[in-house]
Amino acid sequence: MKVVYIHSSYRPNDLIGNWFEETKKYCKSTGGDAYFVIKFTHKETQPNDIVVGGSVSCGIHARMFHYLGLQDMFSYFATRKLLKQLDEIKPDIIHCHVINDCFLHMGLFTSYVNKRNINVVWTFHDARVLTGMCPCPIYTGCNQWKTNCKHCPQENRFLAPAHEIINLSNWVHRYRKHTIGHIKHLTIVTPSKWMAGLVNESYLKQNRCIVINNGINHNVFKKVQSDIRIKHGITEEKKILLTVGNPIGELKGRKYLHRLISELPQERYEFVMVGCNETDVEKYKQVRNVLAFPRINRDELIAFYNAADLFVNTTLADNFPTVNLEAQACGCPIVAFDSDGTPETIDPKCGKVVPRKNYEALKQAILNFNYDGNREAAISFASQFDQQKCIEQYIKLYKELL
């Protein structure tokens, strides 16, 4: 079996990188192999990465998006070069991840996989494939994608053109319907039931769509001894409220966290925020019950997960937030907004989900949270979302398609 991953980037230790490494091991055990295709980057790449495009082709593609909202219809010669490389590999499966990112010509790609009858598995990490531009249409409050994108709302945009002269995302939506919408052997995989529901309302609703939940590595995220309270001088009387984001911006509910810090009693709560911008790091240096970090290493993160009494997730849009699973695997229960696929990642017995953007409900959920017996329940819930199980489900799907 030969499998080709296509994704805008590749980091060996992230979610997709781990999937790929396990897929490669399996493929080699069958006499085949696995290959990783990425978008051109000025950063260091892995030795065997197949890189699409260069600074010119990706730069032109990116400018067409940032000025006009156009993408997927450029990088013609870079895509032709990739397709010649694929002809040499002769893949049985092409597994797409985030590929609508200004480096592939979707018309050429669609024609290629159809002409050669290649099975395409496409994991939808967000909703951008379904729209003319937007990865988070529910967050923006827009439903045009269900029929035809006409004009893009100006408010609550995420991943929007930086120097917009005119927005032609309606062209992109039509183009995607005529290209992606006509891939013959397409199987869509969504990490959440919520995302599968969006697919069922889109131009791709006639395609096979299955749910494979993302998993976490339970050999890494687990219950361990933590010295966080001693290290940072946090007394046992205080409850530690932890938030992790990459970064903690408006989409991650930054304003709700800042309001909680200002309104919850300092003598009862210690706030820990990981993923803050530099402005917030400086802002909270002098606030005695707040620890704000731009980033920390994985061992420190696990120590904070284990020390925290409650994980507060104020994200306003997320397909299937595995950060909730990581926290619960370390015994930390969750309070969160019911954004998108978030409720699917929280144990209803020991966690609490409140309506999106309802600050008062969030605040009361924290103030009235019952901590008794929740750590073991959280660990038990998270145990069902195992990274190895997720990978095995993908390999099972590959075998079904051959």
Side-chain angles (χ1 to χ4, degrees):
M1 181 192 299
K2 292 184 179 179
V3 177
V4 172
Y5 270 46
I6 306 181
H7 186 43
S8 57
S9 64
Y10 172 43
R11 293 185 293 274
N13 293 320
D14 70 4
L15 179 74
I16 297 170
N18 283 320
W19 290 0
F20 174 71
E21 291 303 323
E22 292 299 317
T23 299
K24 190 175 183 71
K25 288 178 187 176
Y26 173 78
C27 290
K28 286 200 167 186
S29 74
T30 66
D33 207 344
Y35 307 82
F36 208 111
V37 175
I38 66 166
K39 174 183 177 179
F40 168 79
T41 174
H42 289 287
K43 298 177 182 178
E44 185 179 356
T45 60
Q46 300 303 305
N48 296 318
D49 288 350
I50 299 171
V51 180
V52 180
S55 57
V56 174
S57 66
C58 290
I60 292 171
H61 205 148
R63 282 167 176 76
M64 295 303 287
F65 173 70
H66 285 302
Y67 287 104
L68 304 175
L70 293 173
Q71 55 181 321
D72 291 0
M73 53 191 78
F74 307 102
S75 300
Y76 181 88
F77 293 106
T79 303
R80 281 190 62 182
K81 181 180 178 182
L82 167 65
L83 300 182
K84 288 179 181 178
Q85 291 172 289
L86 293 182
D87 266 339
E88 294 175 7
I89 295 170
K90 294 182 172 55
D92 300 297
I93 306 280
I94 294 179
H95 190 159
C96 301
H97 293 274
V98 178
I99 70 171
N100 303 95
D101 193 22
C102 300
F103 72 107
L104 274 185
H105 189 288
M106 289 310 305
L108 284 177
F109 177 77
T110 298
S111 297
Y112 178 84
V113 295
N114 284 346
K115 184 177 180 180
R116 285 157 180 77
N117 289 310
I118 298 173
N119 284 293
V120 176
V121 173
W122 199 327
T123 300
F124 284 7
H125 298 281
D126 56 39
R128 74 184 72 192
V129 186
L130 309 177
T131 73
M133 177 177 72
C134 182
C136 309
I138 307 305
Y139 169 69
T140 66
C142 178
N143 288 317
Q144 295 180 65
W145 58 274
K146 294 181 181 181
T147 51
N148 297 293
C149 288
K150 296 177 182 177
H151 63 277
C152 194
Q154 293 292 323
E155 295 186 2
N156 294 328
R157 280 190 182 184
F158 179 68
L159 202 66
H163 311 288
E164 186 175 289
I165 298 172
I166 185 172
N167 191 300
L168 298 175
S169 57
N170 58 326
W171 288 21
V172 179
H173 195 218
R174 286 200 304 270
Y175 184 74
R176 287 177 177 172
K177 287 181 179 182
H178 290 296
T179 54
I180 300 167
H182 286 86
I183 296 176
K184 290 194 297 187
H185 306 292
L186 174 63
T187 300
I188 298 166
V189 180
T190 64
S192 64
K193 295 176 184 176
W194 170 82
M195 180 60 74
L198 295 194
V199 173
N200 195 45
E201 295 183 89
S202 75
Y203 69 90
L204 292 172
K205 61 187 174 185
Q206 301 303 323
N207 293 89
R208 180 189 183 194
C209 179
I210 63 175
V211 177
I212 298 179
N213 296 137
N214 293 342
I216 60 172
N217 187 340
H218 287 277
N219 293 322
V220 173
F221 298 101
K222 60 184 178 180
K223 192 68 182 156
V224 297
Q225 290 295 318
S226 174
D227 64 350
I228 289 297
R229 285 184 179 273
I230 296 171
K231 184 177 179 180
H232 294 281
I234 304 170
T235 64
E236 292 294 334
E237 290 73 29
K238 277 189 172 184
K239 297 296 184 186
I240 298 177
L241 305 182
L242 174 64
T243 295
V244 178
N246 185 28
I248 300 175
E250 294 311 309
L251 188 70
K252 294 301 178 184
R254 176 174 172 266
K255 69 177 182 180
Y256 299 99
L257 294 170
H258 288 199
R259 189 173 171 188
L260 286 171
I261 290 171
S262 66
E263 294 185 12
L264 291 180
Q266 290 189 355
E267 65 277 6
R268 282 183 62 185
Y269 299 103
E270 182 82 15
F271 287 87
V272 179
M273 298 189 293
V274 178
C276 296
N277 60 40
E278 293 299 332
T279 301
D280 288 347
V281 171
E282 289 299 317
K283 174 181 177 180
Y284 287 111
K285 272 184 177 178
Q286 306 306 318
V287 181
R288 63 184 178 87
N289 71 322
V290 179
L291 295 173
F293 303 95
R295 65 191 63 83
I296 57 179
N297 65 43
R298 191 167 68 177
D299 289 341
E300 289 178 300
L301 176 61
I302 292 166
F304 273 113
Y305 279 148
N306 276 272
D309 296 285
L310 192 61
F311 188 87
V312 181
N313 192 339
T314 54
T315 186
L316 302 176
D318 207 322
N319 185 351
F320 192 80
T322 52
V323 66
N324 292 342
L325 304 179
E326 294 172 359
Q328 288 170 106
C330 296
C332 183
I334 315 285
V335 165
F337 286 140
D338 65 349
S339 305
D340 305 342
T342 297
E344 298 175 47
T345 64
I346 298 174
D347 184 1
K349 296 176 184 175
C350 67
K352 182 71 174 177
V353 176
V354 301
R356 180 171 13 203
K357 297 184 180 181
N358 189 327
Y359 171 76
E360 286 302 324
L362 178 72
K363 179 181 175 182
Q364 291 305 313
I366 295 170
L367 288 169
N368 300 318
F369 194 82
N370 181 5
Y371 297 92
D372 295 339
N374 279 336
R375 288 194 177 275
E376 292 306 316
I379 292 170
S380 177
F381 175 79
S383 66
Q384 64 187 301
F385 300 97
D386 182 73
Q387 178 177 279
Q388 194 59 41
K389 178 182 175 183
C390 170
I391 293 166
E392 289 170 359
Q393 287 178 288
Y394 273 109
I395 290 173
K396 181 182 177 183
L397 173 61
Y398 298 158
K399 291 193 285 188
E400 285 177 6
L401 294 173
L402 295 182

